[in-house]
Amino acid sequence: MGKLFIVPTPIGNLEDMTFRAIRVLKEVDFILAEDTRTSGKLLKHFEVSTQMYSHHMHNEHKTLEMIVNRLKQGENVALISDAGTPAISDPGFLLTRACVEEGLEVDCLPGATAFVPALVNSGLPNDKFVFEGFLPVKKGRQTRLQLLAEETRTMIFYESPHKLLKTLQHFKEYFGGERQISVSREISKLHEETQRGEVQKVLEYYTQKPPKGEIVIIVEGKK
């Protein structure tokens, strides 16, 4: 039986790649990548020549059987996403579950994940927290926000730059403008930035200065 390796990749700074991750990518029989063009640049940088195949949200249901069969035949495979740890708001869960159900070994390497540094440097309580990822775009968004308005643990959200203002407006509406939040963007990149304070204050800041890059929002729980 082969083994599935879940391999985190840098979310910005290439120096965040671990020695172990590079070794595994060189040693496995093939690599599954969310976007082979993006991952191709990463593999070239670290001189990894392992065969690579596409594995993303639009084809992961169709490729599961083929991947599981190759693992059963003794091949080892590494799964990577465009950035960060696979299966955290990225493809990976379905394949991991399929391997577990088939009794195949799964090894997730520790590594880069955007929400961890955002949570730690937010200054908000991090002894108990809940990861929400991306909020529903339309259907279910209002219901979800109504439920989260009563959440007492620190909350973690992912958001795209063009939707940040809308999301902050919703936080103001459902959580209150005085709720403490922290917005981190471009984590580990050259223009990394974190804005902390009340929802209203952060909303005003990004209204004046439209955000760019990947964003993690940390929200204080209800007191």
Side-chain angles (χ1 to χ4, degrees), residues 137-178:
V137 178
K138 294 181 180 179
K139 186 178 181 180
R141 187 181 182 92
Q142 180 178 354
T143 301
R144 192 68 200 153
L145 286 168
Q146 287 174 339
L147 289 172
L148 291 174
E150 300 302 314
E151 176 61 64
T152 58
R153 294 169 293 181
T154 299
M155 295 169 279
I156 304 171
F157 301 88
Y158 283 168
E159 193 51 278
S160 59
H162 66 281
K163 294 179 181 177
L164 177 62
L165 291 181
K166 177 182 177 181
T167 295
L168 293 180
Q169 288 280 10
H170 284 158
F171 286 172
K172 178 182 177 181
E173 178 182 350
Y174 289 93
F175 302 157
E178 72 287 347

Side-chain angles (χ1 to χ4, degrees), residues 36-196:
T36 55
R37 294 166 298 180
T38 299
S39 296
K41 298 174 184 177
L42 177 74
L43 299 188
K44 182 179 180 180
H45 179 83
F46 290 108
E47 299 180 345
V48 177
S49 58
T50 307
Q51 181 68 50
M52 183 168 46
Y53 299 98
S54 294
H55 183 79
H56 47 74
M57 63 180 295
H58 301 295
N59 75 349
E60 57 182 340
H61 289 85
K62 301 176 182 178
T63 58
L64 281 180
E65 185 177 355
M66 177 273 292
I67 297 167
V68 168
N69 286 336
R70 292 185 65 169
L71 284 163
K72 286 182 176 179
Q73 292 169 13
E75 293 187 82
N76 293 320
V77 56
L79 174 66
I80 60 177
S81 62
D82 289 347
T85 300
I88 304 296
S89 292
D90 276 322
F93 164 69
L94 292 178
L95 178 57
T96 301
R97 182 177 63 180
C99 289
V100 171
E101 291 175 346
E102 293 291 335
L104 295 164
E105 189 173 357
V106 178
D107 189 353
C108 182
L109 278 61
T113 302
F115 79 78
V116 174
L119 173 63
V120 172
N121 72 27
S122 69
L124 294 172
N126 55 30
D127 55 331
K128 295 180 181 180
F129 59 88
V130 55
F131 176 73
E132 286 292 320
F134 290 96
L135 283 167
V137 178
K138 294 181 180 179
K139 186 178 181 180
R141 187 181 182 92
Q142 180 178 354
T143 301
R144 192 68 200 153
L145 286 168
Q146 287 174 339
L147 289 172
L148 291 174
E150 300 302 314
E151 176 61 64
T152 58
R153 294 169 293 181
T154 299
M155 295 169 279
I156 304 171
F157 301 88
Y158 283 168
E159 193 51 278
S160 59
H162 66 281
K163 294 179 181 177
L164 177 62
L165 291 181
K166 177 182 177 181
T167 295
L168 293 180
Q169 288 280 10
H170 284 158
F171 286 172
K172 178 182 177 181
E173 178 182 350
Y174 289 93
F175 302 157
E178 72 287 347
R179 185 76 70 93
Q180 292 291 317
I181 67 171
S182 175
V183 176
S184 295
R185 65 178 191 85
E186 296 289 79
I187 294 173
S188 86
K189 298 179 182 177
L190 181 62
H191 300 292
E192 179 176 354
E193 174 190 54
T194 295
Q195 289 294 321
R196 307 174 183 86

Side-chain angles (χ1 to χ4, degrees), residues 194-206:
T194 295
Q195 289 294 321
R196 307 174 183 86
E198 296 182 346
V199 171
Q200 180 62 43
K201 174 186 174 183
V202 177
L203 176 58
E204 291 173 358
Y205 175 85
Y206 282 113

